Amino acid sequence: MKLILTNEVSGLGAPGDVVEVKDGYGRNYLIPRGFAIRWTRGGEKQIESIKKARDAREIRDLGTAKEVAGQLGALKVKLATRAGDSGRLFGSVTTGDIADAVKAAGGPILDRRRIEIINPIKSVGSHKVSVKLHPEVSASVDVEVVAG
């Protein structure tokens, strides 16, 4: 099945890329979640607008990405959220919450789609989160989740 990616998918491609995937993966995962659209001649015209939007969001070059990674490494991010007496959260911490907390801590503005949470954050404490700034640069951020 031929698809046009609308969001970045790890291991597959970036927005605007035309990819060939198995039918079930495209029909049951990528299309329903809005990560891709079916490839058509009319859809191919949308590729340019998707790529322009990606370029506007993307960090321009490798040097800037390394600079931002340095800023993130030195940053202490504290995130206050609702939690029970045992330290278990009501719900979990989302990538949007982390992006807002980084901005509030004086860090750079991050696109929530670039933040990767390996294990869901559902408890109070210190957690590591990775941020993919550039295809060659990833940064890790220490997030301190406290009951608030």
Side-chain angles (χ1 to χ4, degrees):
M1 171 180 271
K2 205 170 189 181
L3 298 173
I4 301 169
L5 295 178
T6 56
N7 286 330
E8 185 167 341
V9 179
S10 295
L12 193 58
D17 290 348
V18 177
V19 294
E20 185 77 31
V21 296
K22 296 206 179 218
D23 292 345
Y25 183 53
R27 191 172 48 248
N28 297 326
Y29 181 74
L30 295 174
I31 294 173
R33 286 179 172 74
F35 293 149
I37 56 174
R38 290 186 186 272
W39 180 88
T40 60
R41 287 203 175 108
E44 195 161 320
K45 294 175 185 171
Q46 291 179 320
I47 291 174
E48 285 303 315
S49 64
I50 291 170
K51 286 188 178 183
K52 284 181 187 175
R54 177 181 69 182
D55 289 342
R57 281 193 315 264
E58 199 171 87
I59 294 176
R60 292 288 173 218
D61 60 357
L62 188 63
T64 308
K66 287 183 180 178
E67 182 180 313
V68 171
Q71 290 175 358
L72 289 174
L75 201 62
K76 299 290 182 209
V77 178
K78 197 172 227 181
L79 181 62
T81 185
R82 292 183 50 211
D85 293 333
S86 64
R88 188 149 172 83
L89 302 182
F90 297 124
S92 64
V93 176
T94 64
T95 56
D97 296 336
I98 293 170
D100 293 340
V102 168
K103 183 179 172 186
I109 297 171
L110 296 176
D111 185 7
R112 66 177 175 75
R113 292 172 285 238
R114 299 265 181 210
I115 299 171
E116 296 174 348
I117 301 174
I118 291 98
N119 295 324
I121 299 174
K122 295 187 176 200
S123 63
V124 173
S126 182
H127 301 277
K128 277 214 180 283
V129 176
S130 70
V131 180
K132 191 170 183 177
L133 298 168
H134 191 267
E136 300 173 16
V137 179
S138 288
S140 65
V141 178
D142 290 320
V143 178
E144 182 71 30
V145 178
V146 295

